[in-house]
Amino acid sequence: MSLLRLAWRNVLRQRRRTALLSLVVVYVSVAVLFLFGFLDGYGESLVEAYGQYVEAPVVVAQALWWEDRDPEHGLRVMPSLTYPLIQAMSPRLSLYALLRSPYHVQGGVVLGVKPEEEKALSRVPSKVKEGRWLSGPGEVVLGYRLAQRLDVRLGERLVVETGQGALGLEVVGLVQAGVGNVDFAGVYVHLEDARRLSGREILATHLALKVPRGQEARVAQKLNENLPQGFLAKDVWELMGPIRADYEGSRLFYLPLLALFMLLAAVAVVSTVYVSVRERLREFAIVESLGLAPIHVAAQVALEAALAAALGLMAGLLLGYALLWYTSTHDVFGPLMRLSVELLPEAGLSEHLYTALRPIYALYASLVVVLSALLALLFPGRLVLRLDPSHYLRGE
């Protein structure tokens, strides 16, 4: 305890130096908190977009369909799925089609759904901007940006063609979900219409399941242990495709960068402490001559570095969490995300991004204090251990 008091007294005695040391740690702490919050928030935004709008939390299909999404590999018999965490389940039938309005022609993916069951599974039905959601065969709901491209309006007819059939469907609703895949490419029809367009005797191409948030991987794993041979369940992370690799690549890039920031901050703290120790060698020599062991003096130096870093850490945590709170409750990144959605409309990005706010970030940021103390023992502390008190006491 006496060493701690001595270290604290020396930290307060050198207030200007302590303030400069703390500023470095404040900067790094805020950077660590914000970057972790941003990356986790981005990941949660992707899970939300793919789990609630683009795909589903868990999808079950034949293994052949996962390799080649031809309706030929669709479901002719529905597998029996029972698991306590399944909250909702509905068949879907997706197929490539040509969308033909009186003015434009465009290719796309048509998703056949059961309208009422889809309401329990997806948030798309609740995001209808104009008109209404599907109520029966002969209708189509479009993403509002796709409708603009095709130049079709409510009440007009849209011809959907596949290699196996064609249907003229009435546009009854336009969806604005704030998710690129839905707004720019969403085409929703009744499951019966999708079956006719497929031209095959299939019931659906896959089964979409709703499960509690955070349980997607666990449910998919448990289902795979009991599914009939030839079937495969995938969770939302597996459904993301290339965007998942982009997200994981970002984490792999930024985590070593953050580690380097923390190391540089600790080096900045220790280098300043080293200079301070060199200026105070005579003081340490007197202290040792009074009976304090060299190892205790070295520990006092490490404590001084840790205390200076801890002061910066506390200020950094206050600033960092205040910044995370604000960006987790306000759509600060909305303009940036809307631009990203315009540039990459089929990436599954959401127009809104809120940072995550988790207590564990404080533990990550505190590593800079640990690094500072360890480096202080290695360098300034080593200088104290090699000190020859008689040399300084003689005034040489």
Side-chain angles (χ1 to χ4, degrees):
M1 181 58 74
S2 59
L3 281 181
L4 183 61
R5 282 203 296 268
L6 278 173
W8 179 246
R9 188 194 64 184
N10 287 329
V11 166
L12 294 181
R13 193 174 62 180
Q14 303 289 336
R15 292 183 179 178
R16 183 173 297 176
R17 184 174 293 161
T18 301
L20 291 175
L21 292 176
S22 300
L23 279 177
V24 177
V25 181
V26 168
Y27 167 74
V28 172
S29 301
V30 172
V32 168
L33 261 64
F34 180 75
L35 204 49
F36 272 109
F38 182 85
L39 288 173
D40 286 342
Y42 180 53
E44 291 176 0
S45 171
L46 289 175
V47 170
E48 176 84 5
Y50 273 85
Q52 302 297 329
Y53 296 94
V54 182
E55 298 280 358
V58 176
V59 172
V60 176
Q62 291 203 84
L64 286 174
W65 186 78
W66 288 116
E67 297 174 3
D68 178 10
R69 297 199 176 192
D70 189 325
E72 177 65 26
H73 303 140
L75 304 175
R76 288 175 168 77
V77 177
M78 289 293 178
S80 176
L81 303 179
T82 55
Y83 191 72
L85 293 179
I86 296 177
Q87 298 172 327
M89 175 170 49
S90 183
R92 290 175 176 173
L93 198 159
S94 69
L95 67 165
Y96 292 95
L98 196 64
L99 311 173
R100 189 188 298 276
S101 75
Y103 311 102
H104 294 281
V105 177
Q106 181 173 330
V109 178
V110 175
L111 187 64
V113 299
K114 287 188 172 181
E116 291 305 316
E117 292 183 4
E118 194 67 16
K119 290 179 181 177
L121 193 68
S122 167
R123 292 184 182 171
V124 173
S126 65
K127 298 295 182 182
V128 175
K129 175 188 177 185
E130 296 181 43
R132 59 174 174 78
W133 180 238
L134 297 169
S135 63
E139 300 174 344
V140 61
V141 171
L142 301 173
Y144 83 105
R145 296 297 296 269
L146 176 61
Q148 291 174 355
R149 288 180 175 181
L150 292 169
D151 199 9
V152 292
R153 298 166 184 78
L154 292 178
E156 295 183 348
R157 298 189 77 77
L158 179 74
V159 176
V160 181
E161 299 177 15
T162 64
Q164 303 295 324
L167 289 174
L169 305 174
E170 179 186 353
V171 179
V172 298
L174 303 180
V175 176
Q176 183 175 4
V179 176
N181 290 40
V182 177
D183 294 345
F184 284 83
V187 184
Y188 305 92
V189 303
H190 196 280
L191 186 60
E192 292 182 14
D193 288 336
R195 286 169 178 166
R196 286 198 290 271
L197 287 168
S198 72
R200 297 176 175 86
E201 297 299 324
I202 60 171
L203 301 175
T205 51
H206 57 281
L207 276 173
L209 312 181
K210 182 179 181 180
V211 302
R213 182 75 175 268
Q215 299 294 327
E216 298 92 345
R218 177 186 171 192
V219 173
Q221 181 184 1
K222 290 295 182 183
L223 289 176
N224 282 327
E225 292 173 359
N226 299 297
L227 280 172
Q229 188 174 10
F231 284 84
L232 183 63
K234 291 190 177 184
D235 68 275
V236 64
W237 279 100
E238 293 180 281
L239 299 171
M240 288 183 187
I243 197 68
R244 177 188 179 185
D246 176 71
Y247 170 71
E248 293 178 340
S250 297
R251 290 192 73 92
L252 288 176
F253 175 76
Y254 284 115
L255 293 184
L257 194 64
L258 281 177
L260 181 62
F261 278 177
M262 287 192 283
L263 180 62
L264 290 178
V267 168
V269 171
V270 171
S271 62
T272 307
V273 171
Y274 186 85
V275 173
S276 173
V277 167
R278 290 197 67 86
E279 293 174 349
R280 296 160 54 202
L281 286 177
R282 184 178 177 81
E283 172 189 335
F284 290 129
I286 294 173
V287 170
E288 287 188 19
S289 67
L290 293 175
L292 191 62
I295 188 65
H296 290 158
V297 178
Q300 177 191 328
V301 171
L303 278 173
E304 287 180 21
L307 287 173
L311 288 175
L313 175 67
M314 287 189 285
L317 292 179
L318 286 175
L319 288 174
Y321 274 112
L323 180 63
L324 282 183
W325 173 82
Y326 185 80
T327 51
S328 66
T329 55
H330 295 74
D331 192 18
V332 176
F333 303 104
L336 175 65
M337 294 307 297
R338 283 190 281 278
L339 178 61
S340 300
V341 169
E342 290 281 347
L343 295 175
L344 300 168
E346 297 180 359
L349 299 176
S350 171
E351 291 183 353
H352 309 287
L353 191 155
Y354 300 94
T355 56
L357 201 158
R358 297 172 183 167
I360 191 70
Y361 302 154
L363 180 61
Y364 301 152
S366 65
L367 289 177
V368 71
V369 178
V370 177
L371 277 174
S372 299
L374 291 175
L375 290 177
L377 275 176
L378 283 177
F379 299 102
R382 193 176 177 185
L383 186 64
V384 172
L385 289 175
R386 291 181 174 179
L387 177 67
D388 180 4
S390 60
H391 175 78
Y392 289 93
L393 291 176
R394 288 196 302 268
E396 295 177 357

